Amino acid sequence: MTRAHAYIACLFVVIFYSGNILVGSALNELPPITVAFFRVAIAAAVLVPLGWRSAWSNRSAFRRHIGPLLLLTLTGVTFFNTFIYGALQFTSATNVSVLEAIIPVATALLSAWLLRERLRLVQWAGVLVSFLGALWVVMGGVVDHALGGWNVGDLIMVGAIMSWALYSIAVKRYLHLFPEYGTLLVMTSLSVAVLAPLVALEWAIVGVPELGQWAYWPGLAYLGIFPSIVALLLYNRAVSVLGASQAAVFLNFLPVVTMIGAFLFLSEAVTAAQVGGAGLVIAGVILTTRPARNKQ
């Protein structure tokens, strides 16, 4: 994959993850762990014919590197989306997408610390501009609302931010140890095992949802295929070409795409602060993804 192809892959990742937020918001009548559980269960079922041979033939690699495998699974597959669906119970799809834009800041800091990746000054400036744009949206364009503008859903998103930042680092460091489709099958299957007792506990507390309603299943199928499989494959390949920091910065486009989708499909209002923050986010992405000049 070339750098140009990696950038295109990142754009499709943004589109699919924007759909993850929009569909997750549309399904917020279902409890969050229930949505996360059926997402990974559907993904695992779809991946069986694609990945079972690879998973079986590489079973010794999975056993040998069980620690990195669990880190990849828990951060990128199991809990990242569980946090998102939990946040959508309390806050808007636009806010969730804006807060995801903070992920590159956490990823860049962790990459510099753990992977010794060096960001140029212009890239740090891009990360800062994107972060300020995201913060401006959460604050509603009013500086003294920095704390008052946050709600429970916004705070839950902190867990999602840290989960994906750690996943991005783990992808760069450990994913080469495992086969592609077989690893996705193993990670989704492990996530099913982890979430099964949690969803049983959720049902014991809030009651068993009415899963017989046909309206839920197209959305759950989308979550299980596009964000869970297609987007993850594209993102993993993009990270291997661009590095964790630059690939993660593309997530800053999420507020823009999600804002449009939320306005069109969820009837969410779009404010001037959101539009202004989205402009800053785009500017930050452009700065951060500028290629370095070759020195002769």
Side-chain angles (χ1 to χ4, degrees):
M1 177 181 285
T2 65
R3 290 184 68 87
H5 289 152
Y7 288 138
I8 294 171
C10 285
L11 289 176
F12 275 101
V13 170
V14 169
I15 292 171
F16 292 141
Y17 279 138
S18 176
N20 179 52
I21 295 171
L22 296 172
V23 173
S25 181
L27 292 173
N28 64 7
E29 291 183 4
L30 293 175
I33 300 178
T34 299
V35 177
F37 173 78
F38 281 104
R39 168 190 165 123
V40 294
I42 291 170
V46 171
L47 283 165
V48 166
L50 298 174
W52 75 270
R53 288 182 182 274
S54 174
W56 178 254
S57 61
N58 290 276
R59 60 191 183 279
S60 60
F62 294 129
R63 287 196 298 265
R64 188 165 59 252
H65 304 293
I66 187 64
L69 178 65
L70 289 176
L71 177 61
L72 288 163
T73 299
L74 295 177
T75 56
V77 181
T78 308
F79 291 119
F80 172 66
N81 289 287
T82 304
F83 281 126
I84 285 180
Y85 303 140
L88 286 168
Q89 299 284 319
F90 303 98
T91 193
S92 68
T94 298
N95 265 31
V96 166
S97 65
V98 168
L99 289 170
E100 277 200 53
I102 302 174
I103 289 174
V105 177
T107 304
L109 294 175
L110 288 176
S111 294
W113 178 37
L114 298 176
L115 302 183
R116 299 295 188 266
E117 286 188 6
R118 292 185 177 181
L119 295 182
R120 292 172 289 120
L121 182 60
V122 67
Q123 291 177 305
W124 280 111
V127 168
L128 178 61
V129 169
S130 295
F131 172 72
L132 292 176
L135 188 61
W136 185 254
V137 173
V138 173
M139 291 161 54
V142 181
V143 175
D144 60 3
H145 285 178
L147 294 178
W150 294 72
N151 60 39
V152 174
D154 297 332
L155 295 176
I156 292 174
M157 276 301 297
V158 174
I161 291 167
M162 294 310 300
S163 290
W164 194 262
L166 288 170
Y167 175 75
S168 297
I169 300 299
V171 164
K172 185 68 174 179
R173 193 164 187 174
Y174 299 119
L175 196 64
H176 68 278
L177 300 172
F178 307 108
E180 189 171 49
Y181 289 104
T183 302
L184 274 181
L185 174 59
V186 171
M187 289 197 299
T188 53
S189 299
L190 287 173
S191 295
V192 171
V194 171
L195 289 173
L198 297 179
V199 80
L201 179 62
E202 183 179 65
W203 290 355
I205 295 172
V206 303
V208 179
E210 297 181 10
L211 294 170
Q213 294 189 32
W214 169 250
Y216 292 142
W217 291 101
L220 291 171
Y222 172 87
L223 297 180
I225 296 172
F226 290 97
S228 301
I229 300 174
V230 179
L232 205 59
L233 288 172
L234 292 176
Y235 184 78
N236 291 346
R237 293 181 182 182
V239 167
S240 67
V241 174
L242 301 176
S245 300
Q246 286 199 46
V249 166
F250 264 84
L251 294 177
N252 280 334
F253 277 121
L254 270 174
V256 181
V257 179
T258 307
M259 191 184 306
I260 296 171
F263 175 77
L264 293 176
F265 303 115
L266 302 179
S267 300
E268 287 188 7
V270 177
T271 66
Q274 290 172 330
V275 174
L280 288 175
V281 164
I282 293 175
V285 171
I286 293 173
L287 285 174
T288 308
T289 56
R290 286 181 61 186
R293 294 180 180 178
N294 293 328
K295 295 181 179 180
Q296 295 185 2

